[in-house]
Amino acid sequence: MIRQLILILLCLPLFSFGQLDLKKTFKFSTFYGAINGGTSISDVDIYSVTNGLETQTIETPYDYSVSLGIRKIARFGYENRANTFYDGTETSFSDAATIGKVKGLEFLFEADYRRVQGVEYLDQQHFIRYVENKWLTKIEYLRDGFADIEYFEMSERYKYEVNNKLSLNIGLAHRIAEPYGFDPLEEWKLSNGNLHYTYLALQEGYNVDVFNSEYYDPAGNVVATSSEVWEAVVIPEVLQDYTTRKRNKLPSQWNHSLVVGFDYYYYTKTFWTHAWANVMPWHYNDGGEYSYFNFNDGKQWYDYSGGLIFGTKITKHLGTFVEGTYNKYWNRTWYDFKLGINYIIF
């Protein structure tokens, strides 16, 4: 149901005022698909002398990514598309900005299936942004496997242009996400803060033969022959499986919030600054069992996001740059940044 709702909401701006002009909507947009790959971390040899010298080689399969997307986003003055083709590896911090370079409709739909150091992820970033003189709206869906964050967000805001560089905005944001803050292990914690993990494992179908020091999984297979292996190897898997299953059973949560923000853009050929920020200082408490309020002692909290892109050519040969984004939602943070200097040798 959530996915169908997201799809409908993402498509709504394309049918604004009841009429869709395909040629105008997709003009200047680019559709792309690409496969990228490369060597992962090198093989690792593990040695054991329990039954004489034994060697086990841990091999990590090669890294790869399969990308598919379509984008229509005007480039800012500081952006330089060096590649002839989109290959799915491009990253532009300006994509996260609340307001684009031009007014009107812009969008990005991209999905990336990746394998990194043997771990597979399906990352997605989709958004539609529509900006006018006095208002703007943005609809976004983000799934980041590395940051372990996934949410859908829609906001509608009043926009006030202070001048041709700075604009302020205020409005409402609506988000759907899993109940972040919920701890599935809380009910298994003892009064001293420790976890009654063996009892939890028994409830999950595991069995323990204390006399023979043997531990069995729900299928009856021996998974450990010592308490050390049981605690170091098996129990972490039990806890991971349990917490994942419990979270997946819970319904997604709506979160309605007040949002205020600003966008600033100034560009010359030798100096540029692009900065934006969004703050959600107040959230509506719907009284739900898994509302984030319950995991935050019933108090309000601050969610925020922002970015900065700065560059300057100090001399004809020397230049420096700083770029990055930072996000904090439901006490979960994810960020990217880069900085450096360039010197052209003459």
Side-chain angles (χ1 to χ4, degrees):
M1 181 63 183
I2 295 297
R3 293 182 179 178
Q4 287 84 347
L5 176 62
I6 291 173
L7 181 60
I8 293 172
L9 291 175
L10 284 173
C11 294
L12 280 178
L14 298 179
F15 297 89
S16 57
F17 306 107
Q19 185 175 4
L20 174 63
D21 188 336
L22 286 175
K23 184 175 180 180
K24 182 178 180 180
T25 298
F26 292 99
K27 187 177 181 179
F28 303 122
S29 63
T30 302
F31 174 83
Y32 54 94
I35 299 175
N36 301 277
T39 304
S40 188
I41 58 176
S42 61
D43 298 343
V44 178
D45 292 331
I46 305 296
Y47 300 98
S48 173
V49 294
T50 303
N51 298 311
L53 179 60
E54 296 179 351
T55 304
Q56 178 185 4
T57 301
I58 299 178
E59 299 178 353
T60 302
Y62 65 91
D63 295 344
Y64 70 86
S65 67
V66 180
S67 303
L68 189 67
I70 182 171
R71 62 185 291 136
K72 178 184 177 181
I73 305 174
R75 292 195 297 273
F76 288 89
Y78 53 79
E79 293 184 292
N80 177 30
R81 183 184 168 193
N83 297 333
T84 304
F85 300 102
Y86 283 108
D87 60 18
T89 63
E90 296 85 3
T91 58
S92 177
F93 292 117
S94 64
D95 288 351
T98 308
I99 299 176
K101 186 177 184 295
V102 298
K103 291 181 173 64
L105 177 68
E106 293 184 301
F107 55 81
L108 168 68
F109 296 93
E110 181 174 300
D112 300 280
Y113 186 79
R114 305 176 182 271
R115 183 172 68 192
V116 181
Q117 297 185 11
V119 182
E120 296 180 344
Y121 299 97
L122 176 59
D123 292 342
Q124 298 183 60
Q125 183 182 13
H126 314 304
F127 77 76
I128 295 176
R129 178 173 58 203
Y130 196 94
V131 179
E132 284 292 347
N133 292 328
K134 295 295 184 179
W135 62 274
L136 67 97
T137 182
K138 186 176 182 181
I139 303 172
E140 180 180 17
Y141 172 73
L142 176 69
R143 179 178 180 180
D144 189 325
F146 286 100
D148 190 25
I149 186 75
E150 180 181 10
Y151 65 88
F152 163 78
E153 179 179 313
M154 176 175 63
S155 65
E156 53 280 340
R157 316 186 196 191
Y158 166 76
K159 180 169 71 75
Y160 174 72
E161 295 184 353
V162 180
N163 50 46
N164 61 354
K165 302 180 183 66
L166 175 65
S167 68
L168 309 176
N169 58 77
I170 184 171
L172 297 175
H174 319 278
R175 293 172 292 172
I176 307 175
E178 70 172 79
Y180 290 115
F182 170 70
D183 183 5
L185 299 177
E186 184 65 33
E187 62 180 301
W188 298 96
K189 290 182 180 179
L190 303 173
S191 58
N192 59 3
N194 293 330
L195 188 69
H196 203 331
Y197 52 82
T198 298
Y199 185 64
L200 188 155
L202 294 175
Q203 295 299 311
E204 290 296 289
Y206 286 78
N207 285 295
V208 178
D209 186 342
V210 179
F211 182 77
N212 295 310
S213 190
E214 291 182 340
Y215 302 81
Y216 302 88
D217 66 12
N221 302 311
V222 177
V223 292
T225 57
S226 68
S227 60
E228 290 78 12
V229 174
W230 170 251
E231 295 177 355
V233 178
V234 181
I235 288 299
E237 294 181 359
V238 173
L239 299 181
Q240 179 65 43
D241 293 342
Y242 175 79
T243 55
T244 299
R245 190 180 74 256
K246 291 288 286 186
R247 287 194 176 101
N248 290 340
K249 286 183 177 181
L250 296 181
S252 297
Q253 302 295 302
W254 277 99
N255 198 179
H256 306 283
S257 311
L258 173 70
V259 59
V260 294
F262 79 88
D263 278 74
Y264 179 84
Y265 175 62
Y266 174 75
Y267 173 78
T268 68
K269 291 184 178 181
T270 58
F271 177 85
W272 56 89
T273 300
H274 186 194
W276 64 91
N278 300 283
V279 180
M280 300 180 193
W282 182 88
H283 314 272
Y284 172 69
N285 186 1
D286 62 3
E289 180 181 358
Y290 300 106
S291 168
Y292 190 74
F293 278 92
N294 296 335
F295 313 122
N296 198 51
D297 299 325
K299 301 177 182 178
Q300 292 284 347
W301 71 96
Y302 287 91
D303 286 339
Y304 48 86
S305 63
L308 171 65
I309 298 174
F310 170 84
T312 180
K313 294 182 179 179
I314 302 172
T315 68
K316 181 180 179 180
H317 304 281
L318 179 64
T320 184
F321 65 92
V322 177
E323 300 182 4
T325 59
Y326 187 89
N327 305 270
K328 183 174 183 291
Y329 279 9
W330 305 292
N331 204 33
R332 304 176 72 87
T333 60
W334 66 102
Y335 50 85
D336 293 286
F337 68 89
K338 58 183 177 180
L339 54 93
I341 60 173
N342 283 195
Y343 186 82
I344 301 175
I345 301 175
F346 56 93

